[in-house]
Amino acid sequence: MSFPAVETLTAIALAVVKTLVLVVGSAITYFAFKAYRRTRQPALGYLAGGFGLVTLGLVLAGVLHELLGVPLETGIFLESLLVLAGFLVIAYSLSVS
């Protein structure tokens, strides 16, 4: 049995949380990039790039599904690939420092 009001509230909550993830992730990416520009340390550049990929990945599935009509499963798969790539870049940034 489906409850439309609950589904609507869930969709709104998800949109709010994803928006907050985008805002906070973008701020972290910005500050990491700003630190890279100030110090020119390659590790900070990789860190900024990694956080950028993770942030992009975490909002990608919903954007692709809602705005471009991509099947949700495909969007989640692409989201997961970007998050994985971001974490790999972050791990690399920590290993070269």
Side-chain angles (χ1 to χ4, degrees), residues 5 10 17-18 20 22-23 25 27 30 38 40 42 45 50 53 58 65 67 69 76 84 89 91-93 95:
T10 302
V17 170
K18 289 291 189 171
L20 291 172
L22 179 61
V23 169
Y30 169 76
R38 187 176 60 250
R40 294 295 178 195
L53 285 172
L58 289 173
H65 179 67
L67 299 181
I76 291 171
L84 173 63
V89 172
Y92 180 76
S93 80
S95 71

Side-chain angles (χ1 to χ4, degrees), residues 15-36:
V16 168
V17 170
K18 289 291 189 171
T19 300
L20 291 172
V21 166
L22 179 61
V23 169
V24 173
S26 296
I28 292 170
T29 302
Y30 169 76
F31 289 124
F33 182 72
K34 189 175 169 182
Y36 164 72

Side-chain angles (χ1 to χ4, degrees), residues 57-58 60-61 73-87:
L58 289 173
L60 187 66
E73 294 83 7
T74 303
I76 291 171
F77 176 71
L78 293 173
E79 171 185 314
S80 299
L81 285 177
L82 277 176
V83 170
L84 173 63
F87 282 144

Side-chain angles (χ1 to χ4, degrees), residues 31-78:
F31 289 124
F33 182 72
K34 189 175 169 182
Y36 164 72
R37 279 193 359 211
R38 187 176 60 250
T39 65
R40 294 295 178 195
Q41 292 292 320
L44 287 172
Y46 288 119
L47 187 66
F51 275 116
L53 285 172
V54 169
T55 301
L56 178 63
L58 289 173
V59 297
L60 187 66
V63 170
L64 289 175
H65 179 67
E66 293 296 329
L67 299 181
L68 301 177
V70 172
L72 189 58
E73 294 83 7
T74 303
I76 291 171
F77 176 71
L78 293 173

